């Protein structure tokens, strides 16, 4: 039993994104904005007897609910960041929220598509003077929400660093919230186009036709978000050059990597498990030193095995 402290070898498993606190504040701000808009439309619709206002308010409630999921995920991940029950921290909670939001988006797309197809074959009377201002107001609210949820780092990367650097740092929870408000904004734009064409030109079919287009666009965004979040939740290896950087630094001479596992544990954070076979093994810390400074590599475990032959010196694991 060692008498000295091993605190120098301990480390935390806090893998929250660099902008976690900022993104949490922005999410709650958008929840408040959408919630106020939703309440105003539903109350206004009930007082005025306008079904268009009530319908838009209920539609806004679905997006507000998804945004609440995003905001609560940020809060829970922050509060339980050092909870030892989470083996690799709470950094991936955002991906779980994003996956849930993608399912909500898919359901919204199905509902919009279903209602639009029904109205295409069975047109209903449209109160244009109410519907057009509501769509315009909804568009304004969603544009403000999208501005609040923008990711300041989306286009700030050096493209020479590759696909991994761009997407490995992406906060999928924020992206899911952003897609919700952008999807609502897209529906508002299409609704304005369809309503204007129906009102000015008499093309009543344009309103449900734009709804079908909007449903297809939202379904496509939902599928992309499902794939991205699902890949992280299933610990799929991230694309890009992280694996190659590790190989370039460790495979020196006859040393070879026998096993390499890389997975994302949070926005901008990756864990790696490396098994090396070496002619003249060194302590694991020596190999860790070679990997120091690799962006996004936050948790590293190195196993070293001697190659059968004339140089079986030592093994080490951590």
């Amino acid at each position: 039993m060692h008498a000295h402290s091993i605190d120098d070898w301990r480390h935390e498993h806090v893998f929250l994104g660099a902008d976690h606190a900022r993104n949490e504040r922005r999410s709650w701000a958008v929840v408040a904005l959408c919630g106020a808009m939703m309440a105003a439309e539903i109350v206004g619709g009930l007082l005025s007897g306008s079904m268009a206002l009530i319908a838009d308010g209920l539609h806004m409630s679905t997006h507000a609910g998804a945004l609440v999921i995003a905001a609560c995920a940020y809060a829970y991940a922050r509060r339980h960041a050092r909870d030892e029950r989470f083996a690799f921290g709470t950094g991936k909670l955002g991906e779980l929220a994003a996956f849930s939001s993608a399912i909500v988006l898919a359901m919204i797309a199905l509902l919009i598509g279903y209602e639009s197809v029904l109205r295409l074959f069975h047109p209903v009377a449209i109160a244009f003077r109410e519907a057009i201002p509501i769509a315009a107001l909804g568009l304004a609210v969603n544009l403000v929400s999208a501005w609040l949820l923008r990711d300041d780092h989306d286009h700030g990367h050096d493209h020479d660093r590759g696909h991994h650097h761009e997407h490995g740092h992406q906060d999928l929870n924020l992206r899911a919230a952003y897609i919700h408000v952008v999807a609502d904004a897209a529906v508002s734009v299409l609704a304005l186009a369809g309503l204007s064409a129906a009102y000015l030109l008499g093309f009543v079919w344009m309103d449900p036709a734009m709804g079908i287009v909007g449903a297809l666009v939202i379904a496509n965004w939902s599928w992309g978000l499902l794939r991205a979040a699902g890949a992280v939740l299933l610990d799929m290896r991230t694309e890009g050059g992280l694996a190659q950087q590790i190989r370039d630094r460790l495979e020196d001479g006859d040393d070879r990597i026998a096993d390499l596992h890389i997975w994302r544990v949070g926005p901008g954070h990756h864990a790696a498990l490396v098994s090396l076979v070496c002619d003249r093994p060194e302590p694991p810390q020596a190999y860790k030193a070679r990997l120091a400074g690799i962006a996004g590599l936050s948790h590293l475990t190195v196993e070293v095995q001697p190659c059968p032959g004339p140089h079986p010196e030592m093994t080490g694991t951590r």
Side-chain angles (χ1 to χ4, degrees), residues 26 68 88 99 107 115 150 185 194 226 243 287 312-313 318:
R26 290 185 177 186
V68 167
F88 285 94
F99 193 88
M107 294 173 63
E115 185 67 23
R150 72 195 185 283
L226 278 171
Y287 299 99
E313 295 181 2
R318 185 182 183 282

Side-chain angles (χ1 to χ4, degrees), residues 69-273:
I69 292 174
C72 287
Y74 280 123
Y76 188 92
R78 170 176 51 81
R79 292 172 185 169
H80 296 270
R82 290 176 173 82
D83 191 330
E84 294 184 357
R85 292 177 300 171
F86 297 95
F88 285 94
T90 56
K92 288 167 63 173
L93 198 67
E95 277 69 32
L96 182 59
F99 193 88
S100 301
S101 291
I103 294 175
V104 174
L105 270 174
M107 294 173 63
I108 291 172
L110 286 173
L111 288 173
I112 292 175
Y114 175 75
E115 185 67 23
S116 297
V117 170
L118 282 182
R119 293 194 177 197
L120 191 62
F121 292 102
H122 304 286
V124 298
I126 301 174
F128 292 105
R129 293 185 179 181
E130 289 182 355
I132 291 176
I134 291 170
L137 181 59
L139 175 60
V141 169
N142 284 306
L143 289 177
V144 173
S145 299
W147 180 79
L148 287 172
L149 293 173
R150 72 195 185 283
D151 189 344
D152 297 329
H153 304 293
D154 266 352
H155 305 291
H157 298 301
D158 181 356
H159 292 287
D160 292 337
R161 296 179 69 176
H163 182 85
H164 157 73
H165 185 264
E166 179 180 354
H167 293 280
H169 288 68
Q170 191 175 63
D171 187 332
L172 290 180
N173 193 23
L174 183 71
R175 178 169 173 76
Y178 179 79
I179 288 177
H180 268 281
V181 296
V182 169
D184 213 12
V187 170
S188 296
V189 169
L190 292 170
L192 280 171
L195 288 169
S196 299
Y199 182 57
L200 298 175
L201 304 175
F203 298 158
V204 179
W205 57 269
M206 279 289 291
D207 180 55
M210 290 298 99
I212 293 173
V213 172
L216 293 174
V217 171
I218 295 173
N220 182 60
W221 288 342
S222 170
W223 175 242
L225 188 57
L226 278 171
R227 290 184 62 189
V232 176
L233 293 173
L234 292 174
D235 291 331
M236 290 179 65
R237 179 181 291 187
T238 56
E239 297 180 19
L242 184 55
Q244 190 58 48
Q245 287 185 68
I246 293 174
R247 291 187 182 279
D248 290 343
R249 296 194 185 192
L250 293 184
E251 292 192 331
D252 182 27
D254 291 327
D255 295 348
R256 290 292 179 268
I257 292 177
D259 200 14
L260 175 61
H261 298 277
I262 302 172
W263 66 99
R264 174 168 151 154
V265 291
H269 298 282
H270 290 80
L273 174 61

